[in-house]
Amino acid sequence: SEKMKRRQSSKTQKQPLQVHYKNQTDLSSWQKGGRIDPEKSVQNNQSPNNQKNDSKQDSLEQALSYFEKVQDHVSLKKNNVNNVLQKHLTTVESIALQRGLPPEGFDVLLNVALSGKLADTVNTRLLKSLIPASVIPETSVVSSVSWFCVGKCSGNIQLLFLRWLITMFDFIDHKEQLHALYGFFFSFLQDEKMCPYVCHLLYLLTRKESVKPFRIRRLLDLQVKMGMQSHLQALLSLYKLFCPELVTITLPGKMKTFFKNSDGPWKAAINAVRRRKHENFPVSQPLFLGTAQPRSRKRKWNTQLVIPASSTNKNNLKDDKEKNHVDLYSTNESFPVEQLQTFSQLLQNICHLEFPSQMGSVLTNPLLLHYMNCIKDESIYLRLYYWMGQTLQEECTWCVADNNQYEEEFKDFLETVYKTECFLQEGFSSCEEFLYKSLPLWDGFCCRSQILRLVSWIPLSSFSEMKSHLYDPLAQLFFTSSLYFKCSVLESLKQLLQNWLNWHVINLDSESDSQFHSLNTTLSGLVNVVAELIHFVGWISTVALRLENNSTFLLYFILDFYETVCDVYLRYSLPLLIMPPAGVFYPALLSMDSVSLNQLCYIMYRYRTNLVAAKENELSKKKILQFKFSSQTYQEYNQYIIAMVGCLWTSSAFQKDVHPQGLQMNDELLKKTTVQEFKTSFNIVYHPAMMGYAILFLQQAWPDDTAFNFSLIK
């Protein structure tokens, strides 16, 4: 104990606060891959209120010196001591909330808060004020954990410390010594109050070598004792991904929210400090919290989109290269990702990469995304899904009232997630869960483009789940929103259909694909889900055309969707063909826009090509077909073709259209329209969409004839 105090005192004396700001400058520069002169950086970022800052600096040093020298239990009943204690405690709290605490302050404050020298009310206030200005030294955390062994602090203080440690996990500069304490933290699982937070911490610390049979047995015993607790399932799920042969029980396959929010009082404080820091030093923002994004204010995603120096630092890297000449490519140890710079390094170290604890940094690193594409490591996906699910849930701007001011940052984050899904060519289940929870509360305006893009990457799931969580809330917004929103939704659903079909083509011959089995999607299940999506789009399209008075702009997006639908059989090898509803076909056939009519003709041509190919395969009987198109599909197609040919070519649509919602009308009713040549009014010459082309043809063929005799066109 005396050695520890002397070492702390020596460290405090040797490292004044200004030095640490310079070191943090170097760290931020190294993270961005650049070089910054520390002295010049500090000089350029001097505040105009230097005297005021110096006064606060002195006050903080006095407060840290006071808390470091506290020897015995201090009673708040003594007035003279109480005044001094209250003064220094207020100083720490105010400076922490205003600009965050420097790294050397954590060693002192953590030790005094967990040593039991002060009352729990004071210790609680100290722990709640531990807001970092840059990083938290790992040695400070390890030193504070050692107080758990002597039983000086109460259970409530231990619980609050664990919550703080989970919240600040991303700010700890290194993790190796914490990993060495894995077994120590594991021993606290027996405490029912601490168990959820210990599981959360272990989830963040777990590596493959952490999974041991005795730990699995212990978790199973706890599950029998406590029941199916989500935090125990989380840790067991991670263990099973690392060592499936050791965890033989069946666990829920779908991702859920495993842990309660541990941010407590610190999240709002961190955001406030970040905003204040950004206002005072907008140029030097990268110095704050070790992030390389000057405009960032929110912690959850912005600090995690930059790979941290979590396992090594700049000086160690330099020493390794210059003094020891270590060959980073040939080492058998874990390769930290902050050293990963080139694709060749990725190939050389692909078998022993050590992913960062901040899984958010994976989203913006193409090399790590390549790794995820090549190496199907389910533990990485599970950790990424957990982090992403927590972030989306807590930072959604329309689900949490206080987040309205961060809409632009939330847009950027959603855009990053979408780009990652495009890169990996698969949707995240955590995004799916977020959409299902947030869409009923969404106004259709906030982050519209980003949300609809994420909808296009929703993974395959059962229709009943999609109907209640996606189709129903989306339909309510669709019918009550603008024309532009309706078109955006249709475009998103078209992309969703294409992504599902592409997934089917890619996995058609790879039955061993883990995602195929995890979705438990048979071919019949896929056909049913795709068919329901097509029927849903057909329904909302029919209603939308009525609401928008058959808008040409809207019709373009509807027909664009059916250009994909009509080629599902031949292009995507999916035994499914669904005709557009009459509420879409006839408005397109009678449209006054030639582009819409041309689209419809092309779609009907591709339907015929697919139906003929399906019939030929069925008649050849080379193999037993699992699916056959029903006669109703052929019958509906023939009805549409009769109507189309009757309109455009034979001028007999009003007599021969046999579709229940078709154009068939008797002559007496047609005569009441007072249209003289009603039979030919929709053929290829007189059709409203084609009239302009007919006039142009007459002008070119008979330039002197101004009567426009359309009967000349045969």
Side-chain angles (χ1 to χ4, degrees):
S1 177
E2 289 298 322
K3 287 183 178 179
M4 182 183 300
K5 291 173 183 174
R6 287 197 298 270
R7 175 169 49 82
Q8 293 168 358
S9 177
S10 173
K11 180 166 54 179
T12 305
Q13 294 171 3
K14 292 180 180 179
Q15 295 179 342
L17 300 182
Q18 292 294 336
V19 174
H20 274 273
Y21 282 115
K22 287 191 250 183
N23 288 343
Q24 182 58 25
T25 302
D26 286 342
L27 177 61
S28 302
S29 171
W30 169 73
Q31 286 180 342
K32 293 185 289 182
R35 289 285 186 271
I36 294 179
D37 184 353
E39 297 294 341
K40 187 176 180 180
S41 175
V42 173
Q43 291 173 5
N44 290 340
N45 292 285
Q46 289 293 330
S47 169
N49 300 320
N50 284 333
Q51 294 181 354
K52 187 177 179 180
N53 290 337
D54 291 341
S55 176
K56 291 182 179 180
Q57 187 88 348
D58 294 338
S59 299
L60 180 59
E61 290 180 352
Q62 292 175 9
L64 293 178
S65 178
Y66 169 80
F67 284 116
E68 185 182 12
K69 295 176 181 178
V70 172
Q71 296 294 334
D72 302 321
H73 183 81
V74 178
S75 174
L76 291 175
K77 296 179 181 179
K78 296 181 181 180
N79 291 333
N80 58 335
V81 177
N82 183 32
N83 291 336
V84 177
L85 175 60
Q86 184 65 38
K87 172 188 173 184
H88 293 307
L89 184 58
T90 303
T91 298
V92 171
E93 289 177 327
S94 62
I95 293 179
L97 291 175
Q98 184 176 9
R99 64 184 186 185
L101 296 175
E104 66 272 14
F106 289 91
D107 200 12
V108 175
L109 297 178
L110 279 172
N111 276 289
V112 72
L114 296 175
S115 64
K117 295 177 182 179
L118 304 176
D120 274 6
T121 53
V122 179
N123 295 331
T124 300
R125 290 174 63 181
L126 283 175
L127 286 174
K128 288 182 178 180
S129 65
L130 294 179
I131 310 299
S134 54
V135 295
I136 300 173
E138 182 188 30
T139 54
S140 301
V141 178
V142 173
S143 176
S144 59
V145 169
S146 65
W147 286 105
F148 278 48
C149 303
V150 296
K152 291 292 184 70
C153 56
S154 65
N156 289 334
I157 295 300
Q158 290 181 347
L159 204 62
L160 187 61
F161 170 76
L162 285 177
R163 291 175 59 196
W164 174 85
L165 183 57
I166 293 168
T167 306
M168 301 299 172
F169 189 81
D170 297 329
F171 297 103
I172 300 174
D173 56 357
H174 309 298
K175 303 292 191 306
E176 292 306 316
Q177 294 182 35
L178 278 179
H179 281 292
L181 293 174
Y182 191 94
F184 177 79
F185 290 122
F186 193 90
S187 65
F188 285 91
L189 287 174
Q190 58 190 358
D191 189 311
E192 290 191 14
K193 290 185 178 180
M194 296 177 67
C195 186
Y197 301 104
V198 173
C199 284
H200 195 163
L201 180 59
L202 293 175
Y203 190 95
L204 297 173
L205 289 171
T206 297
R207 297 171 175 173
K208 187 171 184 177
E209 58 267 22
S210 307
V211 182
K212 305 292 183 184
F214 75 89
R215 288 175 179 157
I216 296 174
R217 289 194 297 269
R218 181 59 180 158
L219 288 175
L220 294 176
D221 292 341
L222 287 172
Q223 188 167 257
V224 172
K225 178 183 176 181
M226 300 180 181
M228 294 290 287
Q229 301 294 327
S230 60
H231 49 273
L232 294 175
Q233 292 179 20
L235 204 51
L236 281 170
S237 297
L238 191 57
Y239 280 12
K240 187 168 186 176
L241 288 175
F242 281 124
C243 300
E245 70 282 359
L246 297 179
V247 184
T248 57
I249 64 170
T250 302
L251 295 169
K254 190 173 179 64
M255 178 63 186
K256 59 180 293 187
T257 304
F258 286 132
F259 305 110
K260 296 180 180 179
N261 185 5
S262 300
D263 288 345
W266 300 284
K267 175 186 170 183
I270 290 174
N271 292 336
V273 173
R274 288 186 66 87
R275 289 195 300 271
R276 195 171 292 111
K277 190 75 175 180
H278 178 70
E279 293 170 0
N280 295 337
F281 302 101
V283 178
S284 60
Q285 182 68 7
L287 309 185
F288 184 63
L289 295 179
T291 176
Q293 295 187 4
R295 299 181 183 176
S296 302
R297 292 173 295 170
K298 299 280 279 180
R299 177 185 67 84
K300 266 298 180 179
W301 56 79
N302 286 326
T303 59
Q304 298 200 21
L305 297 183
V306 179
I307 296 179
S310 58
S311 57
T312 54
N313 59 36
K314 177 183 175 181
N315 295 329
N316 290 341
L317 286 173
K318 188 174 181 180
D319 291 342
D320 286 343
K321 290 180 180 179
E322 295 181 359
K323 295 181 180 180
N324 300 327
H325 302 285
V326 175
D327 184 2
L328 297 178
Y329 300 126
S330 61
T331 178
N332 292 323
E333 299 177 356
S334 296
F335 186 85
V337 292
E338 60 265 22
Q339 300 179 28
L340 190 62
Q341 301 294 332
T342 64
F343 194 76
S344 59
Q345 280 184 315
L346 172 66
L347 297 179
Q348 292 286 344
N349 299 279
I350 197 167
C351 295
H352 47 271
L353 270 183
E354 178 188 351
F355 265 63
S357 56
Q358 294 111 315
M359 289 304 294
S361 60
V362 176
L363 299 182
T364 54
N365 190 307
L367 294 176
L368 296 184
L369 293 178
H370 277 301
Y371 175 88
M372 291 180 65
N373 254 342
C374 298
I375 308 296
K376 294 299 181 182
D377 188 342
E378 295 293 339
S379 64
I380 295 175
Y381 280 91
L382 188 63
R383 289 173 59 197
L384 182 61
Y385 290 168
Y386 159 71
W387 171 82
M388 190 180 297
Q390 291 287 101
T391 303
L392 290 169
Q393 178 182 348
E394 295 168 10
E395 308 299 341
C396 176
T397 53
W398 60 88
C399 294
V400 183
D402 295 338
N403 291 339
N404 291 334
Q405 56 187 319
Y406 303 117
E407 181 178 342
E408 289 302 319
E409 294 188 6
F410 192 55
K411 282 183 180 179
D412 293 339
F413 176 63
L414 295 179
E415 193 71 28
T416 300
V417 174
Y418 168 73
K419 290 178 180 178
T420 304
E421 290 183 324
C422 292
F423 188 97
L424 297 175
Q425 286 295 292
E426 63 178 301
F428 296 140
S429 60
S430 51
C431 285
E432 175 191 14
E433 186 176 344
F434 162 71
L435 291 171
Y436 288 170
K437 289 181 179 179
S438 63
L439 280 178
L441 306 173
W442 186 41
D443 59 3
F445 180 77
C446 180
C447 306
R448 174 192 294 173
S449 176
Q450 291 75 24
I451 290 298
L452 292 179
R453 286 179 179 181
L454 291 179
V455 166
S456 68
W457 281 108
I458 290 179
L460 278 167
S461 55
S462 65
F463 168 69
S464 60
E465 187 174 19
M466 296 198 69
K467 182 182 185 304
S468 59
H469 292 104
L470 177 65
Y471 296 156
D472 290 348
L474 205 57
Q476 293 180 8
L477 287 170
F478 184 86
F479 295 139
T480 57
S481 296
S482 65
L483 172 64
Y484 177 77
F485 181 82
K486 291 182 177 69
C487 296
S488 300
V489 170
L490 290 170
E491 177 66 20
S492 175
L493 294 177
K494 185 197 81 169
Q495 293 297 330
L496 176 63
L497 175 62
Q498 286 184 336
N499 289 333
W500 284 356
L501 295 173
N502 289 333
W503 175 87
H504 167 66
V505 171
I506 293 172
N507 294 278
L508 197 59
D509 298 324
S510 56
E511 296 180 355
S512 62
D513 188 86
S514 60
Q515 187 183 9
F516 187 87
H517 291 293
S518 64
L519 287 171
N520 195 23
T521 305
T522 60
L523 183 58
S524 60
L526 175 64
V527 169
N528 291 335
V529 173
V530 171
E532 294 297 343
L533 172 60
I534 296 173
H535 287 309
F536 172 73
V537 173
W539 170 60
I540 64 173
S541 298
T542 300
V543 177
L545 284 171
R546 295 174 183 172
L547 293 174
E548 300 295 341
N549 197 23
N550 294 330
S551 166
T552 301
F553 187 62
L554 176 64
L555 188 59
Y556 168 80
F557 285 91
I558 296 173
L559 294 177
D560 194 40
F561 177 84
Y562 280 98
E563 279 193 31
T564 301
V565 175
C566 69
D567 249 345
V568 162
Y569 180 72
L570 286 179
R571 184 172 296 178
Y572 299 100
S573 302
L574 189 69
L576 177 69
L577 276 180
I578 298 176
M579 302 300 300
V584 170
F585 174 80
Y586 284 102
L589 179 61
L590 304 179
S591 172
M592 298 183 68
D593 178 65
S594 59
V595 175
S596 299
L597 183 61
N598 180 67
Q599 269 187 293
L600 180 65
C601 292
Y602 173 77
I603 289 170
M604 296 305 293
Y605 160 71
R606 292 307 303 172
Y607 268 120
R608 180 185 183 280
T609 305
N610 280 257
L611 287 170
V612 169
K615 179 63 71 174
E616 289 176 352
N617 289 338
E618 182 180 338
L619 294 176
S620 65
K621 296 182 180 181
K622 292 182 179 179
K623 59 179 180 179
I624 300 176
L625 298 178
Q626 184 180 357
F627 294 90
K628 295 181 180 179
F629 296 125
S630 66
S631 57
Q632 182 179 355
T633 303
Y634 292 97
Q635 180 182 356
E636 191 173 9
Y637 173 80
N638 288 332
Q639 289 175 345
Y640 284 161
I641 282 296
I642 291 173
M644 177 174 280
V645 173
C647 269
L648 298 177
W649 196 251
T650 63
S651 301
S652 58
F654 298 119
Q655 292 77 33
K656 295 185 178 180
D657 190 351
V658 295
H659 194 280
Q661 301 178 43
L663 302 175
Q664 187 175 30
M665 287 180 282
N666 56 49
D667 290 348
E668 294 181 1
L669 180 61
L670 289 169
K671 289 178 181 178
K672 292 180 180 181
T673 63
T674 67
V675 176
Q676 295 181 355
E677 300 293 337
F678 57 81
K679 290 185 179 181
T680 61
S681 56
F682 285 102
N683 68 18
I684 200 169
V685 176
Y686 294 94
H687 195 289
M690 306 300 294
M691 185 72 73
Y693 294 97
I695 294 175
L696 181 62
F697 178 80
L698 290 176
Q699 289 177 338
Q700 292 176 348
W702 296 278
D704 298 330
D705 187 1
T706 58
F708 296 120
N709 185 5
F710 291 100
S711 62
L712 295 175
I713 304 176
K714 299 296 183 182

